[in-house]
Amino acid sequence: MAGTAGASSGISGAVERAYAIAPDPGTSYLDAEHIVILMQENRSFDHMFGTLQGVRGFNDPRAIRQADGASIFLQRDRGGNGFLPWRLDLKDSRITWMGSLDHSRHGQIDAWNGGHHNFWIEAKRHGNSDYADIPMTMGYFTREDLPFYYALADAFTICDQNYCSIMTSTAPNRLMLWTGTVREEHDAGSLVYMRNEQTHPCGLSWTTYGERLQKAGISWKCYQNQIWCEGGLTGEADQWLGNDGDNPLERFQNYVVSFSDVYRTYVNDVIDKAQVNITRRENILQQALLRADVGSPNAAELEAWLRGYADQRSRLERKRASGDRSLADLTTVQRLLRGRGLSTNSKDPDYLSLETVNVEIEGNAQTMTVPKGDVLHQFREDVRTGRLPTVSWLVASANFSAHPSRPWYGAWYASEIMNILTGNPEIWKKTIFILTYDENDGYFDHAPSFVAADPKRPETGGASAGIDTGSEYSYVEDELIQGVPEELARSGPIGLGYRVPMIIASPWSRGGWVNSQISDHTSVIRLIEQFIDGKYGKKVVETNISSWRRTVCGDLTSNFRSYNEQPAALPFLERAAHLQAIESARQKPLPSGYRALSQSGVAALTKNPTELRSRLWQEPGTRPACALPYELYADGVLDRDQGQFCLYLKAATDLFGNHSAGAPFNVYLYGTKAGNHVHEIAGLSKKMMAATYAVRAGDQIKKEIDLSRFSSGEYDIAIHGPNGFYRNFTGRPDEPEVEVRCLYRSDKDGTGVEIHLTNRAQISHEIVVEYPSYGEPPQRVMVNGLSERVISLNLDTNSQWYDFCVTVKGHISFARRYAGHMETGMPSFTDPTMGRHTAGS
């Protein structure tokens, strides 16, 4: 595991081979013939890549602040003690042997805390009492710990605004990657599967994307070593050789897995317990219905839930019946689906065999058990013989999944996939490899989720007309209907979840780039949609993906450029050496690099942001940044007559036309009388409100914010959008009648922003414009009464990044801050403010 990017560790031949392979210059991603997808397990973006140069990591200059002004990087326990991100040393501590953190639906919702994003320490405490006092959620790795992953990012394109689809655990997020949904029907009130234990083999009936590909005549396959519910593996054999239940296609009726007797008994027991729960809940609802007013909204909702329970009872009986089918009952279509969706390594001579090997740990001879056969046998053969299909998914065994509950052997698995692909030059010339993660486990990420608003509570946000957020929201009753205990049931957005890593490796995404368009697991499906349409002229649309998700997330096509000759180095991992390195960490000390900060210590860092930034280390420098289809605006004006602040959120199409992207905006109100958090933190007496708005491309949302919601008579409104987009409006009801707007400009003189200053008062005002981040000197301009001034700011020298604050002399409360990146349709560089920071770790 030792070494940094470019260190070959005796494998220079493999490195040279990987980068000697090139397609024809000028080709694009539509000249590919294969898309290969590997979803590993349970890592957040900051946890793996918060220190990587150029990404929106620990040097983020526009991270959200908490209600009292503390940075979101300062997470606190119930007592108010604070913890910053701290390094987990993979080689010199036993962290990889310490297990996983809570990543249940309730744990994820609790950490989110109504959008305040500040309850990670308590929600993510380790279940092992020996580790419960260690704030593992704040732990991260560096380049020294994860050399292969960092080298992969250095060589290709990393997505630093990629989120898991759902604020929950593994199975639901994997359903999103393979099918685009977790609902039986695409509307609010239908059955929604939010937890791992709620889906079982042959229990789901909606259409998977593999079925759509098959119907369209597009070749595809899902590779794994063994089928979860048919293998009967236990213990170490299951950990090394099974698929850990990570292929969600086993859960669909049309793939017809044949249960083992043990698993059939297990499934029937689960169904029996669910039936008992349904009966109990039906009785409770029937009693509530008798007490409700006939014809009232409450009665209608109770009746709807009762119909839902009846539907669930029917589904469970169908699930029980599906377990009685055998492979002989398959139709021709089902045989094809099973062969493609449940491909195994059964042709490997040592399939499902383990062997014992000798290793040396700290100078002592020991043994360890490893797979005897090739866990990538069928994939390797298909690449070698030129039979790799158009679309491939890979599912690792538990030990190779990179899940924190297992040692981190998964780095070898990802490395070996790249090694196999580049082993056939003609394949690699025409391949797109996507490495991503299903969810964040319990590991902290500082970038708050962009979530669907609760349609029953307008204060949580909204969306452009025609976008249904109800189908993207789940309630306590949705949980109870599935048998979740009442103390664990939660209402909350289905998604998006938290940031997870994604790296796109291909001849058209090489060069160490960063892509900052918002994406999620369904974005992978949408890339396949675009690829098949562009290459073969076939429309294979995943209708399961909601309109809300298609609005806030991109399709990954912005990751690709025409092929260029830029070389890079990629250190493949040799399996025996890697496994031994991980094994040697088993007896290392507990990780101990964290430090608790008292409430006064938290307050001191909040007052001194420079000191805070000195404790959050990230590699200095910038990276090339992909061109993004964003043209985003957020402006506001005070309506004195109505006592409101009018906020305008817009996703314009002037610059990029039909290629323009919609976007989500997180809006935070600080200093409010009430907060929408759920969990209290000691010493945090101030309150705030959080909301998310989804704006379709070409649309604008107007939101009136009543000033009576603020406790001190002053308003403080912050807006966060994609790729560091930021606005902050502060003031008082009696503030000067000055309005500020920020517009983008692109003409023969270059690119820039125009700061429009409008004075609607009779008297003149002196306006001060300061530039906190990019070195421009402050400006003072006089704006006469009933007139307008325009200040033009050229952005060419700052790679199109801007950050300015407008104040009015003599009015200390009034301020308008605008920051972000102006997209021009051309590649750029990542935020120089992040790149300049060089504090020690």
Side-chain angles (χ1 to χ4, degrees):
M1 294 294 294
T4 59
S8 64
S9 301
I11 51 174
S12 59
V15 174
E16 292 171 3
R17 182 185 74 243
Y19 288 94
I21 303 168
D24 295 332
T27 56
S28 76
Y29 84 100
L30 292 177
D31 292 293
E33 293 183 1
H34 313 283
I35 297 177
V36 177
I37 305 150
L38 171 64
M39 176 173 273
Q40 294 200 286
E41 288 255 30
N42 292 47
R43 304 288 177 175
S44 79
F45 186 89
D46 277 347
H47 170 66
M48 283 185 68
F49 290 113
T51 64
L52 179 68
Q53 175 200 65
V55 300
R56 197 155 294 277
F58 295 147
N59 284 351
D60 189 348
R62 290 181 281 281
I64 69 167
R65 52 193 160 100
Q66 299 178 57
D68 62 349
S71 167
I72 205 64
F73 285 111
L74 269 166
Q75 290 290 313
R76 288 171 273 201
D77 60 20
R78 287 187 186 275
N81 300 305
F83 298 89
L84 289 168
W86 58 286
R87 184 187 169 194
L88 302 169
D89 192 315
L90 190 58
K91 294 173 298 197
D92 294 328
S93 79
R94 74 177 72 164
I95 181 59
T96 194
W97 293 94
M98 292 173 64
S100 182
L101 300 174
D102 183 279
H103 47 282
S104 63
R105 169 66 170 170
H106 52 274
Q108 302 286 51
I109 289 291
D110 288 351
W112 178 68
N113 200 15
H116 292 213
H117 202 71
N118 64 352
F119 202 66
W120 287 79
I121 298 295
E122 295 296 343
K124 303 297 183 180
R125 288 201 182 277
H126 203 292
N128 185 326
S129 59
D130 293 340
Y131 310 147
D133 292 334
I134 300 175
M136 280 175 56
T137 183
M138 305 303 292
Y140 66 84
F141 294 110
T142 67
R143 182 181 294 275
E144 287 69 31
D145 303 303
L146 307 175
F148 174 76
Y149 291 111
Y150 272 66
L152 201 64
D154 288 344
F156 296 104
T157 298
I158 187 168
C159 302
D160 70 350
Q161 292 268 258
N162 179 61
Y163 292 76
C164 67
S165 285
I166 305 183
M167 205 175 287
T168 187
S169 47
T170 291
N173 275 293
R174 286 177 174 262
L175 286 171
M176 296 300 288
L177 179 70
W178 269 266
T179 77
T181 188
V182 287
R183 284 192 184 274
E184 296 278 1
E185 289 85 31
H186 313 312
D187 55 71
S190 65
L191 202 62
V192 56
Y193 299 98
M194 296 297 296
R195 295 177 184 256
N196 288 349
E197 62 273 17
Q198 292 168 351
T199 58
H200 303 285
C202 287
L204 304 177
S205 59
W206 67 81
T207 304
T208 64
Y209 197 62
E211 291 171 85
R212 301 189 197 281
L213 292 173
Q214 183 161 301
K215 186 176 180 180
I218 303 297
S219 63
W220 70 281
K221 187 178 284 188
C222 184
Y223 297 88
Q224 60 254 287
N225 192 57
Q226 175 257 2
I227 300 172
W228 177 38
C229 64
E230 291 183 1
L233 298 175
T234 59
E236 276 196 299
D238 188 37
Q239 300 300 302
W240 283 114
L241 303 173
N243 76 3
D244 205 30
D246 278 352
N247 181 357
L249 298 181
E250 292 189 33
R251 302 165 193 261
F252 286 85
Q253 293 173 8
N254 276 342
Y255 291 83
V256 195
V257 289
S258 178
F259 297 161
S260 65
D261 289 340
V262 172
Y263 203 85
R264 193 190 310 274
T265 300
Y266 164 73
V267 169
N268 285 332
D269 181 60
V270 170
I271 292 172
D272 290 341
K273 291 177 180 177
Q275 296 280 27
V276 171
N277 171 70
I278 286 174
T279 300
R280 183 179 67 85
R281 288 299 303 165
E282 284 177 330
N283 291 336
I284 292 172
L285 291 174
Q286 289 284 7
Q287 292 299 315
L289 185 59
L290 289 174
R291 296 190 299 269
D293 293 331
V294 176
S296 69
N298 185 43
E301 187 171 50
L302 290 169
E303 289 171 347
W305 284 120
L306 281 166
R307 289 192 298 272
Y309 278 109
D311 182 60
Q312 170 72 328
R313 190 187 295 278
S314 298
R315 292 182 188 279
L316 288 170
E317 288 307 319
R318 291 198 298 272
K319 182 183 292 187
R320 193 194 303 273
S322 70
D324 295 330
R325 289 186 293 175
S326 69
L327 298 182
D329 300 323
L330 268 62
T331 66
T332 301
V333 170
Q334 288 170 337
R335 289 181 186 278
L336 286 171
L337 286 174
R338 181 181 167 89
R340 292 172 177 173
L342 305 175
S343 171
T344 70
N345 295 320
S346 58
K347 294 181 181 179
D348 179 21
D350 295 309
Y351 179 56
L352 301 186
S353 296
L354 297 175
E355 64 178 343
T356 300
V357 297
N358 297 317
V359 295
E360 183 177 307
I361 307 298
E362 300 291 325
N364 299 316
Q366 297 183 22
T367 62
M368 66 179 294
T369 301
V370 298
K372 184 177 182 181
D374 182 4
V375 294
L376 286 162
H377 171 81
Q378 191 59 55
F379 179 71
R380 192 185 307 272
E381 282 297 296
D382 285 355
V383 172
R384 184 183 65 82
T385 59
R387 293 198 300 267
L388 188 68
T390 303
V391 181
S392 304
W393 288 267
L394 292 114
V395 179
S397 67
N399 277 352
F400 288 126
S401 69
H403 195 293
S405 64
R406 281 90 180 185
W408 207 330
Y409 301 124
W412 170 82
Y413 192 86
S415 169
E416 188 64 7
I417 290 170
M418 282 293 295
N419 204 5
I420 291 168
L421 289 170
T422 57
N424 186 330
E426 293 307 310
I427 290 289
W428 180 244
K429 284 182 182 180
K430 301 173 183 178
T431 296
I432 296 166
F433 174 50
I434 300 173
L435 170 65
T436 189
Y437 292 76
D438 51 18
E439 39 105 348
N440 63 293
D441 198 78
Y443 285 103
F444 170 77
D445 186 85
H446 83 277
S449 303
F450 295 101
V451 300
D454 182 355
K456 299 179 181 180
R457 295 185 297 147
E459 69 272 17
T460 64
S464 293
I467 295 177
D468 174 26
T469 61
S471 65
E472 290 282 356
Y473 213 87
S474 175
Y475 300 97
V476 165
E477 196 65 39
D478 290 309
E479 297 260 76
L480 297 177
I481 200 174
Q482 295 270 43
V484 176
E486 293 187 27
E487 67 273 16
L488 302 181
R490 299 287 188 273
S491 293
I494 292 176
L496 300 174
Y498 303 113
R499 280 197 311 174
V500 292
M502 176 185 281
I503 298 174
I504 299 182
S506 78
W508 308 280
S509 57
R510 63 191 294 167
W513 289 61
V514 176
N515 184 285
S516 299
Q517 186 173 8
I518 291 177
S519 58
D520 81 327
H521 302 329
T522 67
S523 298
V524 177
I525 298 178
R526 293 177 60 195
L527 171 63
I528 301 170
E529 289 177 349
Q530 294 295 320
F531 174 74
I532 292 171
D533 186 16
K535 189 174 184 67
Y536 302 112
K538 294 184 177 183
K539 303 285 186 183
V540 187
V541 178
E542 182 49 84
T543 57
N544 292 332
I545 301 174
S546 70
S547 59
W548 177 84
R549 218 166 272 271
R550 286 185 180 270
T551 296
V552 302
C553 297
D555 60 14
L556 301 183
T557 56
S558 60
N559 283 275
F560 301 103
R561 299 160 296 282
S562 293
Y563 168 72
N564 64 65
E565 301 290 344
Q566 186 171 356
L570 189 60
F572 296 114
L573 301 178
E574 195 276 317
R575 195 185 83 164
H578 180 72
L579 300 190
Q580 180 167 331
I582 295 298
E583 184 71 21
S584 68
R586 188 193 291 262
Q587 303 302 325
K588 296 290 185 180
L590 293 175
S592 58
Y594 60 92
R595 170 187 169 193
L597 298 167
S598 65
Q599 290 188 34
S600 60
V602 170
L605 285 185
T606 301
K607 292 179 181 179
N608 187 357
T610 301
E611 173 65 19
L612 173 66
R613 286 194 294 272
S614 73
R615 302 191 188 189
L616 296 171
W617 179 81
Q618 186 173 346
E619 296 172 344
T622 60
R623 288 182 178 237
C626 298
L628 308 179
Y630 287 132
E631 184 185 356
L632 307 182
Y633 298 94
D635 291 296
V637 60
L638 182 66
D639 184 337
R640 291 168 177 77
D641 295 335
Q642 299 297 320
Q644 295 176 335
F645 189 87
C646 298
L647 187 63
Y648 299 89
L649 307 172
K650 184 177 182 179
T653 58
D654 297 328
L655 295 178
F656 308 118
N658 293 334
H659 298 289
S660 302
F665 298 87
N666 279 344
V667 177
Y668 301 94
L669 312 183
Y670 293 93
T672 52
K673 295 175 181 176
N676 57 352
H677 61 286
V678 177
H679 300 283
E680 298 284 351
I681 295 174
L684 187 56
S685 58
K686 294 184 179 179
K687 299 186 183 301
M688 62 182 278
M689 300 285 290
T692 304
Y693 297 86
V695 184
R696 180 183 284 116
D699 195 20
Q700 175 176 277
I701 289 179
K702 178 183 178 182
K703 177 63 179 176
E704 294 93 358
I705 300 171
D706 197 321
L707 298 185
S708 64
R709 298 173 67 177
F710 297 91
S711 59
S712 67
E714 298 184 359
Y715 62 86
D716 184 349
I717 303 167
I719 302 98
H720 290 259
N723 194 24
F725 180 94
Y726 177 68
R727 305 291 188 260
N728 189 199
F729 307 128
T730 63
R732 298 177 52 85
D734 59 353
E735 67 190 25
E737 297 180 72
V738 173
E739 297 175 7
V740 183
R741 287 189 303 151
C742 173
L743 301 178
Y744 299 125
R745 172 184 56 79
S746 181
D747 53 33
K748 60 182 179 61
D749 297 322
T751 59
V753 296
E754 291 181 346
I755 308 171
H756 288 244
L757 307 171
T758 302
N759 183 2
R760 299 197 181 280
Q762 298 285 343
I763 62 172
S764 299
H765 284 292
E766 183 178 348
I767 308 297
V768 180
V769 183
E770 296 179 286
Y771 305 96
S773 298
Y774 303 113
E776 298 90 346
Q779 293 176 269
R780 295 177 179 270
V781 297
M782 187 65 69
V783 182
N784 295 328
L786 304 177
S787 65
E788 181 177 355
R789 291 284 298 270
V790 176
I791 297 175
S792 184
L793 179 64
N794 191 290
L795 302 180
D796 290 342
T797 58
N798 294 332
S799 300
Q800 287 73 53
W801 290 91
Y802 61 91
D803 184 359
F804 62 88
C805 184
V806 177
T807 57
V808 179
K809 184 178 180 180
H811 299 271
I812 59 174
S813 297
F814 180 95
R816 303 288 187 265
R817 186 168 179 183
Y818 294 78
H821 185 259
M822 178 185 173
E823 296 295 334
T824 65
M826 298 296 292
S828 182
F829 288 90
T830 55
D831 194 339
T833 302
M834 294 190 297
R836 283 199 296 266
H837 181 57
T838 57
S841 59

